[in-house]
Amino acid sequence: MFLSVIMLVVGFVLLIKGADFFVDASVGIAQKLRIPSTIVGLTIVSLGTSAPEAVVSITASLAGSNELAVGNIVGSNLFNLLFIIGICAVIKPFAVNFGEISRDFIISILAAILLFLVIFLGGELIPRWVSLLLFGLFLFYIGFLIVQALKNRVDEEKSDVLPRKMWLNLLLIGLGLAGIVFGGQLTVTGAVDIAHAMGMSERIVGLTIVAIGTSLPELMTSVVASKKGETGIALGNVVGSNIFNILGILGIAGLISPLAVDAALVQDIIVLIAGSLLALAFVFTGRRISRAEGVIMSVIYLAYMGWIIYA
């Protein structure tokens, strides 16, 4: 237990510093390429911070722990959507460019609905052809984002981050990603050891300890970005990660091995869809997420996690 706690602490340190490097370098790349920071958040940042989810779910699939792979993704998306956005708003309420994020927010909701239908109608197994479909949709989405980014270059954005040469930004991206991935792995390993010692089920472990652990990079990155005023990266990171988790990671994991799922995950996905609609309503009505709305989102997440643990 002592070693597990040490791993958690070291993991947190690596996550925080890695996220700091990652955000600064991402902003620098956006400035150099004249690409909106929201696009950077949806692509480079979201893919980088989702690396722990990818590693855990793919490893779980290879090991035959498919319920853990799917539970990790659903739990991570719940944490990303309700808790991370909520905490960012509590720390610093932020305005949202609805025009930039609306399409991708809706895509993340549609991805969650698709996963719900697959599990609800498909029974206890997600076949390989469905995983291939998910991964194909992910590749199409990433290609679309790249084309849009090239078409919609903007004037250099103002930022508190000092201009850097591209090679230095890429170096910081690498260092930040390394800190995020290794920190996430240390955190998850320590957390899983503690969870198993407590006798938690595979679904609950995936939805809670593992999901939160693998989502710490998104949390740290979005919080740091929000504090720096880079709300496009903060929100784009969460939305992009949620799309990547469902379409990309489950697609890859399911291609490795058909995914067995716990029927109880249906209710978790319903909560994810409902939470997504709530967040979209907050953004749509006020073009911002206020501190009070952030509290509501965070409390909903904590209450639901408490319910599934003690139910």
Side-chain angles (χ1 to χ4, degrees):
M1 185 68 73
F2 177 74
L3 180 59
S4 297
V5 172
I6 294 298
M7 293 175 71
L8 282 174
V9 173
V10 174
F12 284 145
V13 172
L14 289 174
L15 284 169
I16 294 170
K17 200 58 186 175
D20 195 22
F21 282 168
F22 210 88
V23 171
D24 279 353
S26 298
V27 172
I29 290 175
Q31 291 175 327
K32 290 288 185 182
L33 300 180
R34 294 182 289 117
I35 295 174
S37 61
T38 300
I39 296 294
V40 176
L42 285 165
T43 54
I44 297 173
V45 177
S46 64
L47 294 179
T49 56
S50 289
E53 283 97 326
V55 171
V56 169
S57 290
I58 292 172
T59 301
S61 179
L62 288 169
S65 300
N66 293 323
E67 290 185 6
L68 177 61
V70 181
N72 172 39
I73 294 305
V74 176
S76 292
N77 281 20
L78 280 168
F79 184 78
N80 291 348
L81 176 78
L82 294 173
F83 192 75
I84 293 180
I85 294 179
I87 288 297
C88 285
V90 169
I91 293 173
K92 185 177 183 180
F94 54 85
V96 178
N97 187 327
F98 186 70
E100 286 186 358
I101 201 68
S102 60
R103 177 199 64 218
D104 304 284
F105 218 126
I106 291 171
I107 289 174
S108 71
I109 296 173
L110 292 176
I113 292 174
L114 176 60
L115 181 59
F116 168 78
L117 292 175
V118 166
I119 294 177
F120 183 74
L121 299 176
E124 299 180 353
L125 190 71
I126 300 177
R128 275 196 174 94
W129 73 265
V130 173
S131 299
L132 180 60
L133 172 63
L134 293 176
F135 189 61
L137 290 172
F138 169 71
L139 292 179
F140 178 80
Y141 171 71
I142 290 298
F144 174 77
L145 283 182
I146 293 173
V147 171
Q148 290 296 109
L150 294 175
K151 286 183 178 179
N152 299 301
R153 289 190 173 187
V154 297
D155 294 333
E156 187 171 333
E157 297 181 2
K158 294 181 179 179
S159 173
D160 294 333
V161 180
L162 295 176
R164 300 189 188 92
K165 293 184 180 297
M166 182 59 77
W167 70 266
L168 184 54
N169 284 321
L170 293 175
L171 176 61
L172 289 176
I173 282 281
L175 291 174
L177 182 57
I180 287 169
V181 172
F182 289 127
Q185 285 303 297
L186 285 174
T187 302
V188 169
T189 301
V192 169
D193 288 344
I194 295 172
H196 284 167
M198 296 171 63
M200 299 174 70
S201 70
E202 191 169 284
R203 167 178 167 260
I204 299 300
V205 170
L207 282 167
T208 55
I209 302 297
V210 177
I212 293 172
T214 55
S215 290
L216 285 176
E218 284 92 340
L219 174 62
M220 301 305 178
T221 300
S222 289
V223 168
V224 171
S226 182
K227 287 182 176 180
K228 293 176 182 292
E230 296 292 340
T231 56
I233 286 182
L235 190 56
N237 171 42
V238 169
V239 175
S241 292
N242 280 13
I243 295 172
F244 178 52
N245 287 348
I246 292 178
L247 299 183
I249 297 177
L250 283 185
I252 295 172
L255 287 174
I256 294 172
S257 174
L259 297 172
V261 295
D262 188 331
L265 279 170
V266 169
Q267 72 181 26
D268 305 316
I269 299 174
I270 291 174
V271 173
L272 174 61
I273 294 171
S276 299
L277 294 173
L278 176 65
L280 184 63
F282 286 158
V283 173
F284 181 75
T285 55
R287 298 297 193 274
R288 66 192 299 269
I289 299 179
S290 67
R291 182 169 283 112
E293 290 167 342
V295 170
I296 291 172
M297 295 173 71
S298 301
V299 168
I300 289 174
Y301 174 79
L302 294 174
Y304 185 66
M305 287 299 103
W307 182 75
I308 65 172
I309 290 173
Y310 293 105

